[in-house]
Amino acid sequence: MRTYLDCIPCFLRLTLEQGRLLTGDEIVHRELINEATKLLPRFSLGLTPPRMVKEMQEVIKRRFPNCDPYKMVKDQSNHRAMELYPMLKEKVAQSEDGLLTAVELAIAGNVIDYAAKNNLNIEHEIQTILTGSFTAEQKSVFEYDLFKRDLAEAKTILYVADNAGEIVFDRVLIEEISAGRKVIVAVRNKPILNDAIMEDAVFCGIDKIARVISSGVDSPGTVLEYCSEEFLKIFKEADMVISKGQGNYEALTEAPRNIFFLFKVKCPVIARHAGSQLGNIVLKKI
Amino acid sequence: MRTYLDCIPCFLRLTLEQGRLLTGDEIVHRELINEATKLLPRFSLGLTPPRMVKEMQEVIKRRFPNCDPYKMVKDQSNHRAMELYPMLKEKVAQSEDGLLTAVELAIAGNVIDYAAKNNLNIEHEIQTILTGSFTAEQKSVFEYDLFKRDLAEAKTILYVADNAGEIVFDRVLIEEISAGRKVIVAVRNKPILNDAIMEDAVFCGIDKIARVISSGVDSPGTVLEYCSEEFLKIFKEADMVISKGQGNYEALTEAPRNIFFLFKVKCPVIARHAGSQLGNIVLKKI
């Protein structure tokens, strides 16, 4: 997906959010914004948003080398999601269509970290996930039959993870689909926003149920040009690719293979691009 | 109110919104954003947001002199609100405390234009306004008793209007408070965003029930340094000043007199500043 001008205010918002996580000094926040601002006129809108965010990330890294501003947010999300894990498993076990429930939970899990980052009521979101189910309207783009059909024929699956915390919800889905199949889970190579990296995957026990690899990228979306050889080989050869979250959607919609995208719609630009609505969940094969 | 760094993404969003209203040419949109971006590092955060928006407005005006990008939005809001006028009057007439209902409607009217601008379901908002009432939680900052007490003693009232369309809702409140009092309504001098100017006030019949003046400003908030002598004299001498909307709140919280601020909270920065919550209504004397 290309970048739209609507993304530019969001890039600055992300820079400010990170600045605030790293220091309480408003003068530094202002300087970070000013430096990020200087990059904007040079950006090519033909590139994907995760590429731009990676470039703007250099502004943060120049001042705070080796920083990981979302470390605490990620740890909290992982812990809270792990506490929920037994309830998620129970919900799947109790449901008529366990796979469907696991798919819905994996998408719903995408909202928890977002709540954490935006000071929303995280417990409220969790209750909604655990007790509720999605309406037909919320699932206006939800190609579950296609997903089930392709899954039935797949022997190897590449699962491209998104955020910390959320990967516990992914674990529930991975456990549903891994019987008789080889599942490889890809996480980011280095900290970028609150995206899951290897240590998050290990903390959440993903390495016990699947092979976990690094995609090689430190952009908040799996930009193929940045990916490792190892990842690209698996990406090409896997029978099925499952991509989680908006960042991976942005990065991979024009990739040279079919992918199932699973995400919660959190932004109007993506809502339009995916033919869905803000707040809806999407399961879409492209 | 000073400007916060959170406001900067919003300034760019406003520039983009206006560019899109004026032309479908994305190259122009990009150029407008780039030019607006160049102004950002120079901004003093000590100044109020409406001052900054006015400065960024020059970017639009340089390319589109004498433009009025929100003309159609304003006309639509005026028309729709005038259609509602009899129902608003009826709601006030039917209620136990007509003044309270008129105050609530005047604040609620603040959301209609916002809905129009953001493609929300305007009819849904209207139904909520006409059929609903506000909860105690939504009115956590609502100094109605103070408002009533000051009103009882006031002989002259300056009513600082906000948006087109919304002024029909203001009209209902002005009609409730004008018996035995002199009410002067101030609108912006020239088009700025969807703020009400003289022609909106005349279209909505405000000139038939009160004296309407221009404040002299073309910033989206009544920045006193830009105001006319005529406005400043009335502002100083009026027994009571009623200020509508966030823009006027941003511009006037540090003004050298007491003001009643009435607005719907549409932004997290203002929510924090006013000690309220996003989506709430505020009636506050400062």
Side-chain angles (χ1 to χ4, degrees):
Chain A
M1 188 186 106
R2 54 159 285 201
T3 298
Y4 293 83
L5 290 168
D6 312 69
C7 305
I8 288 180
C10 252
F11 295 155
L12 292 182
R13 202 182 45 71
L14 275 178
T15 303
L16 178 59
E17 184 174 272
Q18 291 181 79
R20 285 182 173 155
L21 286 168
L22 288 162
T23 170
D25 185 345
E26 203 190 18
I27 292 169
V28 175
H29 303 161
R30 179 77 198 263
E31 287 167 359
L32 290 171
I33 288 272
N34 286 355
E35 284 169 48
T37 293
K38 280 187 214 147
L39 300 176
L40 294 175
R42 294 212 310 263
F43 276 163
S44 160
L45 296 178
L47 301 177
T48 64
R51 276 190 69 143
M52 305 242 189
V53 174
K54 179 178 155 59
E55 208 171 310
M56 296 197 85
Q57 200 61 19
E58 298 306 316
V59 169
I60 306 281
K61 282 190 183 163
R62 267 201 301 275
R63 193 177 283 252
F64 300 94
N66 303 317
C67 69
D68 188 359
Y70 294 93
K71 177 80 176 118
M72 203 194 291
V73 170
K74 290 189 289 185
D75 287 351
Q76 283 172 351
S77 299
N78 286 338
H79 274 98
R80 186 68 188 101
M82 281 304 281
E83 281 171 12
L84 293 173
Y85 175 72
M87 281 173 271
L88 302 176
K89 291 294 282 183
E90 181 65 18
K91 192 170 162 82
V92 171
Q94 296 294 327
S95 71
E96 242 174 74
D97 185 343
L99 177 63
L100 175 62
T101 302
V103 166
E104 289 187 358
L105 285 176
I107 302 176
N110 192 223
V111 87
I112 285 205
D113 73 286
Y114 180 74
K117 277 164 62 187
N118 291 276
N119 298 316
L120 298 179
N121 187 337
I122 184 163
E123 295 306 320
H124 175 76
E125 293 290 343
I126 288 170
Q127 281 315 311
T128 308
I129 290 168
L130 287 178
T131 57
S133 57
F134 294 98
T135 63
E137 202 183 322
Q138 286 173 310
K139 290 162 70 174
S140 60
V141 180
F142 198 77
E143 302 173 349
Y144 178 60
D145 289 339
L146 208 54
F147 180 85
K148 235 178 10 182
R149 200 196 61 195
D150 283 18
L151 184 66
E153 288 166 18
K155 290 285 160 215
T156 55
I157 298 174
L158 172 63
Y159 195 105
V160 187
D162 185 23
N163 297 315
E166 180 183 343
I167 52 168
V168 175
F169 292 74
D170 293 330
R171 178 174 163 179
V172 175
L173 175 54
I174 293 163
E175 284 167 337
E176 283 302 301
I177 62 178
S178 59
R181 296 186 191 93
K182 194 172 149 193
V183 181
I184 301 113
V185 179
V187 293
R188 311 277 186 249
N189 192 44
K190 284 187 197 164
I192 175 75
L193 307 182
N194 62 329
D195 291 12
I197 56 176
M198 188 59 79
E199 68 179 70
D200 302 303
V202 171
F203 179 87
C204 298
I206 312 294
D207 58 324
K208 296 201 178 61
I209 58 152
R211 179 179 158 209
V212 184
I213 63 164
S214 153
S215 62
V217 309
D218 59 352
S219 48
T222 311
V223 180
L224 292 178
E225 290 140 278
Y226 303 147
C227 288
S228 66
E229 293 283 325
E230 181 192 24
F231 175 88
L232 289 174
K233 189 170 185 300
I234 296 167
F235 180 75
K236 193 178 162 193
E237 293 173 359
D239 296 330
M240 188 173 178
V241 175
I242 297 173
S243 157
K244 280 294 302 290
Q246 290 192 154
N248 287 327
Y249 178 81
E250 292 169 10
L252 291 170
T253 47
E254 272 123 67
R257 69 155 293 152
N258 287 135
I259 298 172
F260 280 94
F261 293 98
L262 281 66
F263 59 94
K264 173 109 178 161
V265 184
K266 300 168 187 170
C267 134
V269 173
I270 289 179
R272 213 162 42 229
H273 193 276
S276 186
Q277 302 247 312
L278 217 55
N280 280 6
I281 62 170
V282 167
L283 167 56
K284 183 173 175 155
K285 184 180 181 180
I286 298 183
Chain B
M1 188 187 107
R2 55 160 287 203
T3 298
Y4 293 83
L5 289 168
D6 312 69
C7 305
I8 288 179
C10 252
F11 295 155
L12 292 182
R13 203 184 43 73
L14 274 178
T15 303
L16 179 58
E17 183 174 273
Q18 291 181 77
R20 284 181 174 158
L21 285 168
L22 288 162
T23 170
D25 185 345
E26 202 190 20
I27 294 170
V28 175
H29 303 161
R30 180 79 199 262
E31 287 167 1
L32 290 171
I33 287 272
N34 286 355
E35 285 170 47
T37 294
K38 280 187 214 147
L39 300 176
L40 294 175
R42 292 212 310 263
F43 277 163
S44 159
L45 295 178
L47 301 177
T48 64
R51 276 189 70 143
M52 305 242 190
V53 174
K54 180 178 155 58
E55 208 173 308
M56 297 198 84
Q57 199 62 19
E58 298 305 317
V59 169
I60 305 281
K61 282 192 184 162
R62 268 203 300 277
R63 193 178 284 252
F64 299 96
N66 303 315
C67 70
D68 188 358
Y70 294 92
K71 177 78 176 121
M72 205 195 291
V73 171
K74 291 190 288 184
D75 287 349
Q76 282 171 351
S77 300
N78 287 336
H79 275 99
R80 187 68 188 101
M82 281 304 281
E83 282 172 11
L84 293 172
Y85 175 72
M87 282 173 270
L88 301 176
K89 291 295 280 184
E90 182 65 18
K91 192 168 162 82
V92 171
Q94 297 292 328
S95 72
E96 244 175 73
D97 185 343
L99 177 64
L100 175 62
T101 302
V103 166
E104 289 187 0
L105 285 176
I107 302 176
N110 193 224
V111 86
I112 285 205
D113 73 287
Y114 181 73
K117 278 162 62 187
N118 292 276
N119 298 317
L120 298 180
N121 188 338
I122 183 165
E123 296 305 321
H124 176 75
E125 293 290 345
I126 288 170
Q127 282 314 310
T128 309
I129 291 169
L130 288 178
T131 57
S133 58
F134 294 98
T135 63
E137 202 183 322
Q138 286 172 311
K139 290 161 71 174
S140 60
V141 181
F142 198 77
E143 303 174 347
Y144 179 58
D145 290 340
L146 209 53
F147 180 84
K148 232 172 20 178
R149 198 195 65 193
D150 283 18
L151 185 65
E153 287 167 18
K155 291 286 162 217
T156 55
I157 297 174
L158 172 63
Y159 194 105
V160 187
D162 186 22
N163 297 315
E166 180 183 344
I167 51 167
V168 175
F169 293 73
D170 294 329
R171 178 174 164 180
V172 175
L173 175 54
I174 293 164
E175 284 168 337
E176 283 303 301
I177 62 178
S178 58
R181 295 185 192 94
K182 196 171 147 193
V183 181
I184 300 113
V185 179
V187 292
R188 311 276 186 251
N189 192 43
K190 284 186 197 167
I192 175 75
L193 308 183
N194 62 329
D195 290 12
I197 55 173
M198 188 59 80
E199 68 178 69
D200 301 303
V202 171
F203 178 86
C204 298
I206 312 294
D207 58 325
K208 296 199 178 61
I209 57 151
R211 179 177 157 210
V212 184
I213 64 164
S214 153
S215 62
V217 309
D218 58 352
S219 48
T222 311
V223 180
L224 292 178
E225 290 140 279
Y226 302 147
C227 287
S228 66
E229 293 283 325
E230 180 191 25
F231 175 88
L232 289 174
K233 189 169 185 302
I234 297 167
F235 181 75
K236 193 176 162 196
E237 294 174 358
D239 297 329
M240 186 173 181
V241 174
I242 297 173
S243 158
K244 281 295 301 290
Q246 291 192 154
N248 288 326
Y249 178 82
E250 291 168 11
L252 291 170
T253 46
E254 272 124 66
R257 69 154 295 152
N258 287 135
I259 298 172
F260 280 95
F261 293 98
L262 280 67
F263 58 94
K264 175 107 180 163
V265 184
K266 302 167 186 170
C267 133
V269 173
I270 290 180
R272 211 160 45 230
H273 192 276
S276 186
Q277 301 248 313
L278 218 54
N280 281 6
I281 62 171
V282 167
L283 167 57
K284 183 173 175 155
K285 184 181 181 179
I286 298 183

